[in-house]
Amino acid sequence: DEALKEWNEGALVNIMWHACNPAMSEPCGWDSAGVLSKLNNDQWKELTTDGTPLNRFWKSRVDAICPFLQFLKEKGVEVIWRPMHEMNQGAFWWGGRPGPEGTVKLYRMLHDYMVYEKGLTNLIWVWDVQDFGSLAEDVRLYNPGNKYWDIAALDVYDKSGFSPEKYHIMTEASGGRPMAIGECDKLPTAGQLKDQPRWVFFMGWSELEFSANTASEIRELHQAANIITLDKMPGWKKD
């Protein structure tokens, strides 16, 4: 309901999904029994093999969230959809498995299930990685392929911030498609965004936005001429 309300006011709707480990119970927390849990190699193979018990159970969890996205589809809401974020992040049960049988395989399966079997054609898919020192290699190892994403996103948390090197890597990896700052603690400045104009949006991470930035820095950024805020949005055309 809130997503629909914001859409009707002209906002972008950006939704991510911290899925619980399908080999464990839900609801779950941000801990070793939840999002930060692990799957062993045998469990991973079962999960990514269609028709196995763990694969079917995982699909049932996907089924549980699809009606909400279907509701938004029926209301004409396009959703920027960022599941399995930070795919190169080994702390999450879905992440840190490079190569064709690893994290990218599950991402592709999720995409195909939600789009082709569940009919959710209102999703704008975000492929998201974190800014580790291995980023140049990670954008190759964790790229699920162009047919599986619409926006390439980088989560920026290391102390080098919004460096020209990261921007260049993501510019190359995006192949001309939109690219975004999926999340960050320290916000970019308006000047940095002028120097790196390919970023189409940024998202501060919850409470970290307010601990890593002063109130004046937040105001200065959002009031800058090159930043589009909700009051400048023209609204969405209804068919």
Side-chain angles (χ1 to χ4, degrees), residues 25-43:
S25 62
E26 64 175 355
C28 66
W30 192 270
D31 52 35
S32 60
V35 175
L36 302 181
S37 60
K38 303 295 182 184
L39 289 169
N40 62 41
N41 290 338
D42 288 340
Q43 288 174 316

Side-chain angles (χ1 to χ4, degrees), residues 165-211:
E165 179 185 8
K166 294 177 195 175
Y167 182 70
H168 175 72
I169 290 171
M170 292 304 296
T171 299
E172 292 292 311
S174 69
R177 296 186 181 195
M179 45 190 265
I181 299 164
E183 58 184 77
C184 59
D185 50 4
K186 183 65 178 178
L187 294 169
T189 66
Q192 287 173 320
L193 293 176
K194 283 183 179 179
D195 293 337
Q196 300 180 7
R198 288 282 309 282
W199 300 120
V200 296
F201 68 81
F202 60 86
M203 184 183 78
W205 181 259
S206 190
E207 75 284 353
L208 299 183
E209 176 173 346
F210 303 100
S211 62

Side-chain angles (χ1 to χ4, degrees), residues 18-62:
H18 281 134
C20 295
N21 187 328
M24 297 183 176
S25 62
E26 64 175 355
C28 66
W30 192 270
D31 52 35
S32 60
V35 175
L36 302 181
S37 60
K38 303 295 182 184
L39 289 169
N40 62 41
N41 290 338
D42 288 340
Q43 288 174 316
W44 184 264
K45 185 175 181 180
E46 181 182 352
L47 173 64
T48 56
T49 300
D50 198 49
T52 64
L54 189 56
N55 176 265
R56 291 197 302 270
F57 189 69
W58 168 71
K59 286 181 179 177
S60 73
R61 295 235 172 128
V62 179

Side-chain angles (χ1 to χ4, degrees), residues 31-221:
D31 52 35
S32 60
V35 175
L36 302 181
S37 60
K38 303 295 182 184
L39 289 169
N40 62 41
N41 290 338
D42 288 340
Q43 288 174 316
W44 184 264
K45 185 175 181 180
E46 181 182 352
L47 173 64
T48 56
T49 300
D50 198 49
T52 64
L54 189 56
N55 176 265
R56 291 197 302 270
F57 189 69
W58 168 71
K59 286 181 179 177
S60 73
R61 295 235 172 128
V62 179
D63 289 342
I65 66 164
C66 286
F68 300 103
L69 297 167
Q70 176 66 30
F71 166 83
L72 294 175
K73 177 186 175 181
E74 292 169 356
K75 299 295 184 180
V77 179
E78 300 287 329
V79 176
I80 297 174
W81 176 237
R82 191 169 72 108
M84 296 177 57
H85 78 305
E86 297 176 8
M87 291 171 63
N88 57 338
Q89 168 65 274
F92 305 125
W93 65 263
W94 62 78
R97 291 178 177 265
E101 296 299 312
T103 302
V104 296
K105 183 175 183 179
L106 186 63
Y107 184 95
R108 290 171 183 150
M109 293 174 70
L110 179 67
H111 174 278
D112 290 349
Y113 185 69
M114 296 185 76
V115 174
Y116 303 124
E117 295 196 41
K118 307 303 288 189
L120 293 170
T121 54
N122 61 319
L123 304 182
I124 300 167
W125 286 77
V126 179
W127 161 52
D128 184 270
V129 290
Q130 191 170 336
D131 61 340
F132 298 122
S134 55
L135 180 62
E137 183 71 357
D138 288 349
V139 294
R140 182 183 66 84
L141 295 176
Y142 291 91
N143 190 336
N146 286 351
K147 68 175 286 189
Y148 295 98
W149 57 269
D150 306 294
I151 300 173
L154 179 67
D155 290 6
V156 179
Y157 284 114
D158 80 3
K159 296 189 183 300
S160 63
F162 303 93
S163 68
E165 179 185 8
K166 294 177 195 175
Y167 182 70
H168 175 72
I169 290 171
M170 292 304 296
T171 299
E172 292 292 311
S174 69
R177 296 186 181 195
M179 45 190 265
I181 299 164
E183 58 184 77
C184 59
D185 50 4
K186 183 65 178 178
L187 294 169
T189 66
Q192 287 173 320
L193 293 176
K194 283 183 179 179
D195 293 337
Q196 300 180 7
R198 288 282 309 282
W199 300 120
V200 296
F201 68 81
F202 60 86
M203 184 183 78
W205 181 259
S206 190
E207 75 284 353
L208 299 183
E209 176 173 346
F210 303 100
S211 62
N213 306 272
T214 66
S216 61
E217 287 173 331
I218 295 171
R219 282 195 299 269
E220 182 178 349
L221 172 62

